[in-house]
Amino acid sequence: MNAEYSAIAAKLKAMYSNFLSKEDYEQLLAKKSVNDVCGYLKSTPGYSEVLSNVNERDIHRGQMEILLNQEMFNEYVSLYNFMDHKKRAIMNFWFMRREVEFLKREIRYIYTHEKRSDDEVNQSRFDAFFETHTKINRDIMHEAKSLSDCIEACKGTPYYEPLQRAENLDADFFSMGMMLDSYYYSAIWHTINRNLSGKQAELFKKLTGSKIDMMNLMWIYRGKRYFDFKPEIIFTYLLPVRYRLAEDVIKQLVNADSIERFVEIVSTSTPYDGLFRDYNKGRFPEGNFREMYNKLAKNIFVNNPESMVAVYAYLSLKQVELNNITTITEGIRYNLNADSLREHIGL
């Protein structure tokens, strides 16, 4: 084992041992209310501490999600404090993803004139790490009434320039979100090249690059199927990173004259043929995407514990667990049966 990462690997192994088991999921699927779910989670090693002061009889779904996300932040901070400066440069991108999601949510409020949710605001304020590490001016952002206000709140951050460019182009909300995502994935790709080398860089590119490739494939698919976008529009929104998708293949996919032809090209000319598995039987590719990425993250985490990418894979797997819990509580809210919910949780 790489001595530089042996302590990190041991810490990750201990944290991973607190993940929910299949039996835990079966117990959760049998619950009839959010309160019952909360009560059960309080009995598990992974969530007993963050839920210890909660009265499960009174908690509602939004409050529980905030606390579970706080547990995610707690684990991130625990790992972050364990790293030296060079490793933190990579860890910062997990935090940066949360900043991007925060910005997209705040910009959505501007465009749609929605009232800011108290739960969402409290969730943002709830975490001290976010408060002390972000350079986004939170006071200006929470009072923002215009896009210019949002941009002002981002002065001195990496987001200022792409948001300002988007404003100059008179971009809509969707376009601004895509520009922020494009900036994020470009930045992490370049940082991998600068801060990692050899097998470390190779593994990180495999995890991140595969995700970017599949996101681009999903975007082309959605643009063609649901929006009937012209090829030049689809090209505009593709993430500007190429891992295992050749440029000529991307051109073929974008210019495919039918969805059937697009799926055929993906299946025969890319390493992501599983993305549209059982497409002709009505299976949604989003489920395949989630399943393929989760499988890759788990494989990398289990087989390469002595690496920086194992930390990132761990955080991805933890997010899957939180998403599963959210899916179960949402299912309970809408009275979905356990068999239906099993199809939508990634194990």
Side-chain angles (χ1 to χ4, degrees):
M1 180 177 286
N2 186 331
E4 182 184 4
Y5 289 95
S6 58
I8 295 174
K11 185 175 182 66
L12 288 173
K13 183 178 180 181
M15 293 168 69
Y16 187 66
S17 69
N18 290 329
F19 270 41
L20 298 175
S21 66
K22 287 188 176 182
E23 174 57 29
D24 288 324
Y25 278 114
E26 289 302 324
Q27 291 290 333
L28 291 173
L29 286 167
K31 302 305 177 188
K32 302 301 181 184
S33 70
V34 172
N35 309 85
D36 292 340
V37 170
C38 182
Y40 185 82
L41 290 175
K42 281 180 70 173
S43 71
T44 64
Y47 300 101
S48 57
E49 184 176 348
V50 75
L51 296 175
S52 60
N53 296 322
V54 170
N55 183 340
E56 61 269 28
R57 290 173 296 182
D58 299 326
I59 196 169
H60 64 71
R61 181 177 54 86
Q63 291 171 324
M64 189 173 75
E65 287 182 16
I66 289 171
L67 289 172
L68 295 182
N69 280 317
Q70 177 63 28
E71 172 61 21
M72 184 82 181
F73 274 113
N74 290 344
E75 294 198 2
Y76 171 76
V77 173
S78 176
L79 289 165
Y80 184 90
N81 291 336
F82 210 63
M83 306 288 174
D84 58 32
H85 180 74
K86 185 176 180 180
K87 295 182 183 67
R88 284 182 177 181
I90 300 295
M91 286 288 287
N92 284 338
F93 279 95
W94 186 89
F95 177 70
M96 185 179 176
R97 185 71 237 169
R98 272 66 206 162
E99 287 186 309
V100 167
E101 293 305 318
F102 168 75
L103 287 174
K104 288 164 72 173
R105 187 176 70 233
E106 293 296 317
I107 293 170
R108 187 188 77 225
Y109 291 140
I110 298 297
Y111 276 88
T112 63
H113 306 290
E114 292 178 48
K115 182 180 178 182
R116 286 177 171 83
S117 161
D118 289 337
D119 281 347
E120 288 179 339
V121 173
N122 289 337
Q123 183 175 341
S124 298
R125 294 180 179 276
F126 194 75
D127 184 69
F129 185 88
F130 194 101
E131 293 285 357
T132 56
H133 284 70
T134 189
K135 293 182 180 180
I136 299 170
N137 189 313
R138 304 290 293 285
D139 293 332
I140 293 177
M141 188 63 76
H142 283 308
E143 298 298 325
K145 299 291 190 297
S146 68
L147 184 57
S148 295
D149 292 338
C150 292
I151 295 172
E152 178 68 23
C154 290
K155 273 190 175 178
T157 77
Y159 315 112
Y160 180 78
E161 192 278 331
L163 287 177
Q164 194 171 52
R165 187 170 69 250
E167 184 184 41
N168 292 338
L169 293 172
D170 197 26
D172 57 17
F173 165 66
F174 176 79
S175 300
M176 296 197 80
M178 295 293 284
M179 291 181 77
L180 284 170
D181 284 340
S182 181
Y183 170 79
Y184 171 78
Y185 284 107
S186 296
I188 193 171
W189 196 254
H190 293 313
T191 299
I192 291 170
N193 289 328
R194 288 196 305 269
N195 290 273
L196 298 174
S197 60
K199 188 176 181 181
Q200 293 282 337
E202 179 186 337
L203 286 169
F204 219 112
K205 285 184 176 180
K206 183 177 182 179
L207 182 65
T208 307
S210 297
K211 183 176 185 178
I212 293 171
D213 280 352
M214 288 192 288
M215 288 175 69
N216 276 335
L217 289 173
M218 291 298 297
W219 165 240
I220 297 171
Y221 165 75
R222 290 174 183 142
K224 296 179 78 66
R225 174 158 189 181
Y226 299 116
F227 304 107
D228 197 26
F229 282 156
K230 295 182 181 300
E232 55 268 28
I233 299 297
I234 295 176
F235 276 119
T236 300
Y237 290 120
L238 291 179
L239 298 174
V241 172
R242 302 291 180 264
Y243 177 55
R244 297 182 67 191
L245 287 181
E247 198 65 41
D248 64 321
V249 173
I250 290 178
K251 290 179 181 177
Q252 291 179 47
L253 291 165
V254 172
N255 289 298
D257 58 8
S258 67
I259 290 296
E260 290 72 25
R261 176 56 182 155
F262 166 82
V263 172
E264 180 185 354
I265 297 171
V266 172
S267 300
T268 59
S269 302
T270 81
Y272 305 105
D273 55 298
L275 194 58
F276 291 91
R277 175 172 55 86
D278 292 335
Y279 171 80
N280 58 348
K281 297 179 181 178
R283 181 176 172 84
F284 289 106
E286 288 81 1
N288 291 332
F289 172 45
R290 183 177 62 243
E291 184 179 301
M292 290 169 67
Y293 182 71
N294 293 348
K295 183 177 180 180
L296 174 61
K298 189 168 185 177
N299 181 274
I300 287 177
F301 174 76
V302 170
N303 293 309
N304 303 276
E306 67 289 358
S307 65
M308 191 63 209
V309 72
V311 180
Y312 233 81
Y314 171 87
L315 292 170
S316 294
L317 293 169
K318 183 66 177 183
Q319 189 62 58
V320 169
E321 183 168 282
L322 293 181
N323 292 344
N324 287 342
I325 294 171
T326 298
T327 297
I328 290 171
T329 56
E330 281 286 301
I332 290 171
R333 180 186 181 192
Y334 292 106
N335 296 314
L336 299 180
N337 62 51
D339 288 336
S340 176
L341 287 173
R342 281 192 194 89
E343 297 179 6
H344 298 285
I345 60 176
L347 300 180

